[in-house]
Structures are given as C-alpha cells and as structure tokens.
Amino acid sequence: MPVHPPRASLRPTLRRLSRIALAAATAATIAVAAACSSVAPADTDDAAAAAAVEVGEELQLTLSRQLTSIHPHKGGSPDSQGSVIGSVYEALTTITPDFEVAPGLATEWEQLSDLEWEFTVRTDAVFSDGTPLTTDTIAWNFAQLLDPEYEGTSGAALRKYISSVDAVDDDTVAFHLSSPAIDLPGRLWNSYIVDRAFAESHDLNTEALGSGPYQVDTVDLENGVTLSLNPHYAGEAPDFESVHYTVLASEAQRVAALQAGEPQIALNVDPLSLDLFADSAVYDTILGIGPQPLVLAINEEKEGSPLQDVRVRQALNYATDKESIIQALFGESVDPLPGQVLYEPFQEPNPDVSAYPFDLEKAQELLDEAGYGDGFEVEVDVPSGTYVAAELASQAIAAQWAEVGVELTITQTPFPAWIERQYGDAQAGADLVYIMWGGQYRDGFQLFDPFTTDHIQSDVIAPEFDALVQQAQAATDVDEQRALVDEAVQNYYDEAHTIFLYPSPFTAVISRGVTWEPRSARYLYAQEVHRA
C-alpha cells in the first residue's frame, strides 16, 4: 500500500534556517525540503564556526519526559523512551522523517488477499549478544502481543485486526488478519522485536536486547539512559560510539543545559526561548509544525460531570480563543486545528469541518441552555515540562473560560504519574487532559484510536464514532475509506468529544557540530545524528 509523503512537514521561521538545504520551487516544496534535509552549516563562516564546535565521542541528547520503562512492547512517547527504544530495537517497517513507510527488518511485503499478507525478512539481523534474529523470533513476538494477558500494551491495537503471525520459512512471515488493513506495513512500525530467551529471563522494563544500532548500558528512568554500539549490528555503524540521553523535564533545565553548551540536540524548547540562541555560535534553531495535534481530552465518563452534556462541550470549544494563544506563545508558527485530528500538511482534513470560532456569547448561550449558566468547576491535568508552553497555554485557557463562569483548575503532574492517572479509573481522573495525539504516516487512520471509547487513555463515550472508525480502518477501497473518515470526523465534531487546539509546534536547538534530518514527530533516534 503506497504511503504518500506530506506536502510539507516543517515550516522553519527563525534565523539561520538557510542552513537547511531547501529546494526552490513552490512554498510546499520548500517546506518538504526542510523536513528532508540535514541541519548543517552552509556558508564559509558558518562552516568555520561548526568546526570550532567540539563534539566528543559521546553524543549528548535531551529528553523532555521521564521514562516509564524501556519495554519494546509498551509503546512510548517520542519525548522519552520512544526515542531510546527506536535506537535499540528494530521492527518490520520504519517511518522516514518525511512520513513514508520504509523497510526495516522486512525488505518487502505483498498483500495476497484482504486478510493475508507476506513479509520478506532480512536474514542478517543479529541481537547485540550475538543471537541471530529469525522469523521464528518475529512470530513469537507477535504471539505475545496478540495474547490479551500479555503485559505489552501496544498489542491492544494489533488484536483488533490480526489473528496470527506465522514463520513460513527462513525469510518469510505471514500475517493472517481478522479484518482488512490496507495500510498494514505502516501499522507495524513500532512492533519491535526482542529475543525470546532474553525476554523470558529478564525484566524488559529496565533491560534491553535488540538488533538495532545501539545497546543499552545503563538505565535510570527518572534521569536518562546511556547507550553504546551494538557490535553485531548488520547496518552501517552510527557516527557516535556512545550516547547519553538526559531527561530534562522542565523548560528551565533545557535552556540552562543549552546555555552551558551541553547537549548536541534539544527538542521541545518553548518558541519564545529560541530567541536566546538566535545569534549563537554553537547552535541553530528550528520552529515548525509537528504532526501531532494538541487537544484538551474530555472525561465524559465521570459521574455527574457537566461535560457529559454535548452543549457544555460545545460551549467550551466556543470559549477557547486558540488564535490569541498561538500569537502569544508560538510565534504564529501554527494555525488552529480545523476542528479535527486531520490537518495539512500531514493529513487531508474533512473540508466541511472547521474550527469552532471564538464566541463567548454563543458559549454562554449554550451553558444557559444546558442549565450551567452560573458556571462550574473543572480540572485539567497537564504533564509537567512535557509539551511546548503547555503551562502558559493552560493558564490562558483558564482565563478565557472564566469569562463564561467556568473555573478551570490546573494540575501539573510529573509524566509517569500523569500517565498512570489516565490509565486508571475515570472517576478519579481529571475532567480534562492537555495532551498530544496523532499519527506517524500519511493516510494512516489508526490516528483515530486515542479518540475512541475503548482506548486506554480515552474517557469519551462515542459509540457512533467508534463504529465509523472501525469501518474506515477495515475498508478495502480507498474512496470508501475516505467517505467513512469524513463521516467520522463530522460526527466527532458535532458531539464535541474533544477540544482541538493547535498542531504541536516542532522546536529544536541543534549543535553546529552535528547534522540531523529533522523528525517533526520528535523521535530523536541516536543513529540519525551525524558529525558535521
């Protein structure tokens, strides 16, 4: 199934972005080139400056979230273990920085029927202890993921449409589906493969054995991870022999580390902080648009909550002035989301759906109609230091909602505890959660999953939307799928199950001593960083 690259994926706006190799044609072509090019000095003076930036044998990278584990079958935020896991483990497919599906352990694949696929697998992959990675190993990993009793949470999505995975021979695995998945290769990008014997005798939450370019040396979930080269890696050896991922969970920590010249790359720096490095001899900066939308997820399951009333949810959408937040905090690098999870340049939105306009009069009218004209109190849970300008944005929303009598209490929670609270009982959860969700490749509609009723982090009640998503994901015809997607988007908008805010701003501060092809999805894989 071909996956088309986005028409654009970064919109760099700050100084020195001429150092990103740009193809001159249309604005869209320029934006695509920015996403697909290495950040590197271009002119003579810049080259001399880069040469003066000394980069040692150890690559220093920052993460903005504490790790909850390094388990390859538990998923992981790109801002924490997701970047580490993707540097240590391999999956059948990968996603390129410009959002195309590409070979990983699998070199090619073929759809035999609506419910049958075959993947041809490399035979040179070796785990870092010297154990060969075989098709039997791959089949065993998927058997684990498909077991509803297995602790690997990333298997939940696979169980919806995969019945079994078999090793056909030494270089072929077969997927037997219970429901069609025309984008199956893209869905497998983070189904990482671990050695069976190691998995059965070690704690994968804190220990690792992968076939990727690096191996794990030390793990401190709160503070970071160190890696060294996998001596048996079958691919091209990375430029750096060792890597230190350091968790800097607050904006102040990230800025201080950069001012000290410590990391080679730091992501999730507030746009307003980028000006501190505008004239830096050490760093370049990027401000662009990311593929994950920032939203206020609504808890509709909480007993007695005003948010169970669609009119209240619509009112809060009308009471949120997204434009003013963008102008104040994000340097106008993004536009408000079009009332949906789909947006350009990463996905094609439903053209009939647009953002709720800022209209306090309409919001008050709806609250009066719902019987909440005098207002009410709700809580929003914001992960500390995780999302760009999240705390300031939440404060702005609180001030806006106060205009219609809604008192928004802001709770800032460290990331691991924030995740645990979402996984827990909805009755003890926050009324709203400031969160970022989205897809990794174009035309992959599993990006709807976190917005459905049965997702582990969702507290909505959306049976009509659920049914439409299920039909769309199982469609075998692209046009039929698109019609179902548009219908699902319209239904979700009408029911106001989520307050769609704005795309995630993609920010980066990058040493002139390295080059890196920017991933606006914020996965910072160590093997993709090279010496300048």
Side-chain angles (χ1 to χ4, degrees):
M1 176 70 186
V3 178
H4 303 290
R7 287 187 282 278
S9 54
L10 294 178
R11 297 195 320 193
T13 60
L14 295 190
R15 300 169 178 83
R16 297 196 190 88
L17 292 185
S18 60
R19 297 185 187 90
I20 300 177
L22 298 179
T26 64
T29 304
I30 289 173
V32 170
C36 302
S37 305
S38 297
V39 177
D43 57 43
T44 303
D45 292 339
D46 288 341
V53 177
E54 184 176 347
V55 180
E57 291 302 316
E58 184 174 75
L59 177 64
Q60 301 281 341
L61 304 173
T62 66
L63 300 173
S64 57
R65 285 178 165 179
Q66 295 176 10
L67 287 71
T68 57
S69 79
I70 56 169
H71 199 303
H73 295 160
K74 289 186 176 180
S77 162
D79 310 308
S80 58
Q81 65 259 32
S83 293
V84 176
I85 292 170
S87 300
V88 172
Y89 290 96
E90 293 181 288
L92 288 174
T93 59
T94 64
I95 306 298
T96 68
D98 55 353
F99 299 89
E100 290 190 83
V101 180
L105 289 171
T107 59
E108 58 185 4
W109 42 85
E110 182 181 6
Q111 183 175 6
L112 305 179
S113 70
D114 286 347
L115 301 178
E116 301 290 329
W117 289 70
E118 282 191 353
F119 287 73
T120 302
V121 179
R122 290 170 26 216
T123 58
D124 61 352
V126 180
F127 292 106
S128 57
D129 68 347
T131 302
L133 190 159
T134 67
T135 53
D136 286 333
T137 308
I138 294 171
W140 177 84
N141 273 259
F142 279 99
Q144 295 297 104
L145 288 164
L146 296 176
D147 181 354
E149 301 301 318
Y150 181 54
E151 65 173 332
T153 54
S154 59
L158 302 177
R159 291 193 291 272
K160 293 180 179 180
Y161 58 90
I162 297 178
S163 296
S164 63
V165 179
D166 299 330
V168 177
D169 52 38
D170 289 346
D171 67 353
T172 309
V173 290
F175 280 73
H176 310 287
L177 309 185
S178 57
S179 177
I182 58 178
D183 61 335
L184 178 64
R187 298 188 190 188
L188 302 178
W189 72 271
N190 64 345
S191 294
Y192 293 108
I193 305 302
V194 64
D195 178 61
R196 176 175 182 173
F198 184 88
E200 291 178 338
S201 59
H202 292 74
D203 181 2
L204 293 180
N205 292 297
T206 55
E207 300 174 88
L209 182 69
S211 61
Y214 285 99
Q215 60 186 354
V216 173
D217 293 335
T218 66
V219 177
D220 179 339
L221 297 179
E222 185 174 349
N223 296 304
V225 175
T226 60
L227 310 178
S228 62
L229 291 174
N230 170 3
H232 302 286
Y233 179 54
E236 182 178 351
D239 284 8
F240 292 91
E241 293 185 6
S242 61
V243 181
H244 189 187
Y245 283 98
T246 302
V247 175
L248 300 176
S250 73
E251 172 72 7
Q253 288 177 311
R254 293 191 285 276
V255 169
L258 289 164
Q259 289 177 324
E262 294 170 356
Q264 273 72 59
I265 301 179
L267 308 184
N268 286 356
V269 177
D270 282 0
L272 299 181
S273 298
L274 294 179
D275 281 337
L276 296 171
F277 307 98
D279 300 313
S280 172
V282 177
Y283 291 111
D284 288 311
T285 61
I286 291 178
L287 173 59
I289 181 173
Q292 295 95 352
L294 281 160
V295 306
L296 290 180
I298 296 174
N299 185 347
E300 299 176 25
E301 296 183 346
K302 210 167 190 177
E303 294 179 4
S305 172
L307 301 176
Q308 291 182 330
D309 192 314
V310 63
R311 295 166 295 184
V312 173
R313 300 194 299 269
Q314 291 170 341
L316 294 183
N317 273 278
Y318 282 115
T320 306
D321 185 357
K322 298 169 283 292
E323 288 277 9
S324 68
I325 297 172
I326 291 169
Q327 291 172 9
L329 300 179
F330 303 136
E332 298 184 345
S333 60
V334 297
D335 296 317
L337 289 167
Q340 56 190 297
V341 67
L342 307 178
Y343 61 95
E344 296 286 2
F346 307 103
Q347 304 285 345
E348 181 182 347
N350 178 341
D352 296 327
V353 173
S354 58
Y356 280 85
F358 179 53
D359 188 338
L360 290 178
E361 184 176 338
K362 179 66 174 177
Q364 188 65 63
E365 177 185 321
L366 286 164
L367 291 176
D368 289 341
E369 183 181 326
Y372 293 99
D374 294 332
F376 52 88
E377 298 179 11
V378 284
E379 176 202 9
V380 61
D381 199 351
V382 182
S384 299
T386 296
Y387 300 132
V388 169
E391 294 85 352
L392 293 174
S394 300
Q395 291 168 16
I397 293 169
Q400 294 166 7
W401 290 5
E403 294 295 318
V404 290
V406 177
E407 183 178 339
L408 180 63
T409 300
I410 301 169
T411 300
Q412 295 186 37
T413 308
F415 180 65
W418 179 78
I419 282 288
E420 286 183 14
R421 189 179 186 193
Q422 291 180 64
Y423 287 177
D425 182 6
Q427 304 309 314
D431 302 291
L432 304 114
V433 177
Y434 192 99
I435 194 167
M436 181 189 297
W437 276 322
Q440 294 299 325
Y441 58 99
R442 190 169 178 83
D443 298 331
F445 296 112
Q446 280 198 307
L447 58 78
F448 285 135
D449 285 353
F451 300 90
T452 58
T453 302
D454 63 352
H455 191 270
I456 192 171
Q457 288 180 257
S458 171
D459 292 314
V460 302
I461 303 173
E464 293 180 24
F465 177 75
D466 298 342
L468 290 166
V469 167
Q470 185 176 12
Q471 294 175 60
Q473 291 179 346
T476 58
D477 177 80
V478 173
D479 292 335
E480 176 193 358
Q481 182 182 60
R482 185 66 226 190
L484 289 163
V485 164
D486 287 344
E487 188 177 352
V489 165
Q490 185 69 61
N491 172 269
Y492 208 81
Y493 174 87
D494 293 341
E495 294 297 320
H497 290 300
T498 293
I499 299 170
F500 289 101
L501 299 173
Y502 24 72
S504 54
F506 171 63
T507 62
V509 181
I510 305 171
S511 168
R512 297 187 183 191
V514 300
T515 63
W516 177 61
E517 188 173 0
R519 282 184 178 268
S520 57
R522 306 183 332 281
Y523 282 96
L524 185 50
Y525 301 132
Q527 65 269 25
E528 295 183 346
V529 183
H530 305 283
R531 294 182 184 277

